[in-house]
Amino acid sequence: ATTVDSSEPTILLVEDNKRVRDYLKELLSNQYHLHLAHNGKKGLEIANTKKIDFIISDVMMPIMDGFEFCKQIKNQVETSHLPFIMITAKVEINDKLKGYQLGVDAYLNKPFNNQELLAIIENLIKKREQQINYYSKLLKLPDNTTNYNQLDIDFINKLQQIALNKDLKLSADDISKKLFTSRTQLHRKIKVLTGMSITEYFNQIRVEKA
């Protein structure tokens, strides 16, 4: 990771071409923290162990390509919330549709425009702020979840059930076990989705329900 303001978002950059990876590192390192990986398998390991805010990934990579990497990210609760930018030289519409079906948030074609990439990142940061507003007030909203990952919806619903069950007196470790995740990942997930700690979120849900 680079030395920038600790409040800046962290990008996981997954790209097997060293020249492209170094170019992106130079482009982004002044504004963002970076973690680097050269294939999807390594990227998945980093996403599961480090604090990541969003992902930029190539499509064609050895060991695990970008499509499989995106599928893994979007289908596990620990990482399903992460915005995913796909950079590709493949421009066939079927490939793009496949990516969108897997959960890709934005596509960028090689050779890409620097300003376009930076604009996409900024839009995803704004989308994350909207996501926090949505999940932090979920009880007040209509049942319209088409813009959000179903794993994240299910995660929040389970949290709310636990928060509103007066007969349950669970510690953070107990809640983690119920949700099949670690305590660290639980806190990270709640903070990303709601902007709150688990205690703050539980208190808000209880007040909102009352």
Side-chain angles (χ1 to χ4, degrees):
T2 55
T3 304
V4 293
D5 190 321
S6 60
S7 66
E8 294 291 355
T10 298
I11 296 175
L12 170 57
L13 173 59
V14 186
E15 167 65 66
D16 67 316
N17 185 304
K18 185 178 185 302
R19 182 179 60 82
V20 177
R21 193 167 64 243
D22 289 346
Y23 177 79
L24 285 167
K25 179 181 178 181
E26 182 178 354
L27 175 66
L28 299 170
S29 60
N30 288 332
Q31 293 178 258
Y32 304 101
H33 292 281
L34 293 176
H35 290 290
L36 306 177
H38 55 275
N39 62 60
K41 184 174 184 293
K42 183 62 178 176
L44 191 61
E45 292 173 5
I46 294 173
N48 284 329
T49 56
K50 303 290 185 180
K51 180 185 178 297
I52 302 296
D53 291 298
F54 50 94
I55 295 169
I56 300 174
S57 176
D58 191 14
V59 173
M60 303 303 293
M61 296 181 292
I63 303 178
M64 182 187 290
D65 68 14
F67 289 131
E68 181 61 26
F69 175 45
C70 181
K71 180 180 177 181
Q72 295 282 342
I73 288 292
K74 294 295 185 176
N75 283 282
Q76 59 178 26
V77 70
E78 293 85 357
T79 57
S80 56
H81 59 277
L82 294 175
F84 199 107
I85 303 172
M86 192 82 87
I87 298 180
T88 178
K90 300 180 69 175
V91 295
E92 290 86 351
I93 187 64
N94 287 340
D95 290 316
K96 286 197 171 186
L97 289 175
K98 178 180 178 181
Y100 286 133
Q101 289 166 356
L102 291 173
V104 170
D105 294 275
Y107 261 104
L108 198 62
N109 293 325
K110 294 179 181 178
F112 56 84
N113 178 278
N114 292 353
Q115 294 306 310
E116 183 181 3
L117 174 58
L118 294 173
I120 289 172
I121 293 172
E122 285 299 314
N123 283 338
L124 288 177
I125 291 173
K126 291 177 182 177
K127 183 178 178 181
R128 184 179 63 178
E129 293 170 353
Q130 294 170 350
Q131 172 182 276
I132 288 175
N133 185 58
Y134 178 82
Y135 285 117
S136 64
K137 300 176 180 178
L138 190 60
L139 288 178
K140 294 181 179 178
L141 294 185
D143 186 22
N144 181 4
T145 62
T146 55
N147 293 325
Y148 298 90
N149 188 296
Q150 189 59 46
L151 279 181
D152 296 338
I153 297 291
D154 293 342
F155 178 84
I156 289 293
N157 282 336
K158 289 174 183 176
L159 274 180
Q160 291 182 356
Q161 290 171 16
I162 292 170
L164 296 174
N165 189 333
K166 296 179 180 179
D167 296 327
L168 281 180
K169 304 294 182 182
L170 300 179
S171 67
D173 287 330
D174 294 330
I175 296 170
S176 300
K177 290 176 183 177
K178 273 187 166 293
L179 297 175
F180 304 103
T181 187
S182 71
R183 182 171 179 171
T184 299
Q185 290 168 326
L186 173 70
H187 282 288
R188 186 179 297 156
K189 182 87 176 180
I190 294 172
K191 187 70 174 178
V192 169
L193 290 182
T194 71
M196 304 179 214
S197 69
I198 187 168
T199 300
E200 291 169 338
Y201 186 63
F202 273 30
N203 287 340
Q204 172 156 318
I205 290 300
R206 289 162 180 161
V207 169
E208 194 173 326
K209 185 66 175 178

